[in-house]
Amino acid sequence: MKLIELAYPSATVEHQVPWGRRRADLKVSVDSVSKLVEFHGPSHFAPSRYNSSPEHPSIRKAEIENHFGIECVLWPYWIQPCISNVRAIFDNDVNGLGVLWSTNVHFGTFVFPDSAQVIDSINDRFRATRDDGYGYFYGPDTENRNNPEHPIISQIQQGKKSIDLLLPRGHTSVERWVPLCIGPKGSASRSF
């Protein structure tokens, strides 16, 4: 709520908007344009003790949009909670930011056969993709973030964890999904 208020002081926000027996998380209206926002934690994408077989995110999105007749924006746990991402919902000229520095649920654990496409679609909506892919999600501050490098990176480099944890089902390019690391003699390369 605070981020919405900071990004758009005149916005109106409705919480837990009913539709049948269900509820949409938020309805945000800015200058007579309304969007529904659904927050999706890790259990919406990967098995958890609460949800062993998550529903494909496109199903809920389509149901909400069909019911309300307005866009439903899925905001997953890897899209950083920040003003830039709030603005990216309403302004196509704003690029959003992704971050995965504290999670234990990585893209490679997602259950959907088209997980790479799901991630791409959501990231495209926030314009959170960068020229070299999603590796920056795991790295230290490069764009207004103050996060350390995710511990999974050194664990993969040391052979303690598999790079497959970072690679979603249906991916076509390893480089798109892994961080850019500093290679031998300071040259930039992906060293996995």
Side-chain angles (χ1 to χ4, degrees):
M1 284 300 303
K2 186 64 175 173
L3 293 173
I4 295 169
E5 190 177 294
L6 289 170
Y8 296 105
S10 64
T12 57
V13 180
E14 297 175 53
H15 297 271
Q16 296 298 306
V17 182
W19 57 290
R21 292 184 174 179
R22 299 183 189 182
R23 297 183 181 278
D25 292 333
L26 294 177
K27 181 179 181 184
V28 182
S29 300
V30 174
D31 299 329
S32 73
V33 175
S34 296
K35 309 276 184 177
L36 290 153
V37 179
E38 277 287 297
F39 296 103
H40 278 33
S43 65
H44 284 87
F45 302 95
S48 71
R49 63 183 176 151
Y50 305 108
N51 189 4
S52 61
S53 57
E55 177 182 73
H56 197 283
S58 65
I59 295 171
R60 185 165 177 91
K61 176 178 170 50
E63 289 173 345
I64 291 172
E65 289 176 343
N66 288 338
H67 179 82
F68 289 99
I70 59 176
E71 181 187 12
C72 175
V73 177
L74 300 180
W75 189 317
Y77 69 97
W78 70 83
I79 294 295
Q80 181 177 343
C82 65
I83 292 171
S84 293
N85 285 327
V86 172
R87 288 188 177 137
I89 292 173
F90 289 93
D91 186 344
N92 291 332
D93 293 327
V94 175
N95 292 325
L97 297 168
V99 66
L100 282 166
W101 66 273
S102 66
T103 188
N104 291 322
V105 178
H106 300 283
F107 293 151
T109 60
F110 288 14
V111 298
F112 313 111
D114 64 341
S115 291
Q117 182 181 352
V118 168
I119 297 162
D120 280 339
S121 174
I122 292 171
N123 289 338
D124 288 349
R125 176 58 187 87
F126 283 91
R127 289 165 303 286
T129 308
R130 299 299 180 259
D131 290 342
D132 62 351
Y134 304 129
Y136 84 95
F137 283 21
Y138 293 95
D141 182 24
T142 57
E143 297 183 41
N144 304 315
R145 300 180 331 207
N146 188 19
N147 301 319
E149 184 175 77
H150 195 290
I152 192 73
I153 304 311
S154 62
Q155 293 170 348
I156 291 170
Q157 289 171 325
Q158 295 167 13
K160 294 178 181 177
K161 298 278 184 176
S162 170
I163 193 172
D164 292 336
L165 285 173
L166 308 184
L167 304 175
R169 294 176 188 198
H171 75 88
T172 58
S173 168
V174 171
E175 290 79 17
R176 182 173 174 79
W177 299 96
V178 299
L180 182 65
C181 295
I182 302 301
K185 298 183 183 178
S187 65
S189 67
R190 286 184 169 80
S191 58
F192 298 110

